């Protein structure tokens, strides 16, 4: 198990940028795939991005591809989501998630068993 805490959310104008961080603690010596998900009020939690344990493999939702970048620094036990060219439809609570993995990446919420509490991202027009 690993504990996750997100930070970096806030209010930004359309076209602006935010960098979300996810700090991991606990059993960080295990191999963990990481994911970012988001959820708007009244809607289902949706996939945003995922990255393998080594960082060699990534995948993005079509809605954010080319605008968002997921990365990780295993020495610091940190995962990041760089969000550029933000749009109002990006407004949501953003969650980071982790699961033990040997090189895999995962795009469904049910694939993850460790979740942070989320950080609010609001993009104004």
């Amino acid at each position: 198990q690993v504990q996750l805490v997100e930070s970096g959310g806030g209010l930004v104008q359309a076209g602006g940028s935010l960098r979300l961080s996810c700090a991991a603690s606990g059993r960080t010596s295990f191999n963990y795939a990481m994911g970012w998900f988001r959820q708007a009020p009244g809607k289902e939690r949706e996939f945003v991005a995922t990255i393998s344990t080594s960082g060699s493999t990534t995948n993005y939702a079509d809605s954010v591809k080319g605008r968002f970048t997921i990365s990780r620094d295993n020495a610091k036990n940190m995962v990041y989501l760089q969000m550029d060219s933000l749009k109002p439809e990006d407004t949501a609570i953003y969650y980071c998630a982790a699961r033990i993995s040997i090189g895999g990446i995962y795009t469904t919420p049910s694939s993850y068993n460790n979740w942070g509490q989320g950080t609010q991202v609001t993009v104004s027009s």
Side-chain angles (χ1 to χ4, degrees):
Q1 291 290 105
V2 62
Q3 293 76 51
L4 307 174
V5 179
E6 303 96 334
S7 62
L11 176 64
V12 64
Q13 293 183 343
S17 297
L18 285 173
R19 188 195 192 200
L20 305 184
S21 298
C22 179
S25 62
R27 298 289 295 174
T28 55
S29 61
F30 287 100
N31 295 329
Y32 289 97
M34 301 294 299
W36 285 98
F37 294 79
R38 65 188 183 186
Q39 188 168 22
K43 296 185 177 181
E44 299 294 323
R45 189 166 298 187
E46 67 174 351
F47 166 73
V48 176
T50 184
I51 188 167
S52 61
T53 299
S54 69
S56 63
T57 305
T58 60
N59 189 251
Y60 299 89
D62 288 341
S63 59
V64 307
K65 192 174 299 181
R67 300 188 298 119
F68 291 9
T69 303
I70 188 171
S71 62
R72 67 193 299 163
D73 186 339
N74 288 342
K76 297 180 179 179
N77 298 319
M78 296 290 290
V79 181
Y80 307 98
L81 185 68
Q82 179 65 45
M83 310 165 68
D84 298 323
S85 302
L86 283 162
K87 304 175 181 179
E89 48 263 49
D90 295 319
T91 296
I93 300 175
Y94 283 71
Y95 300 89
C96 65
R99 65 160 285 158
I100 296 175
S101 175
I102 309 297
I105 55 174
Y106 308 89
T107 61
T108 61
S110 61
S111 297
Y112 296 85
N113 61 343
N114 293 274
W115 293 85
Q117 294 299 306
T119 184
Q120 177 71 49
V121 172
T122 303
V123 184
S124 62
S125 301

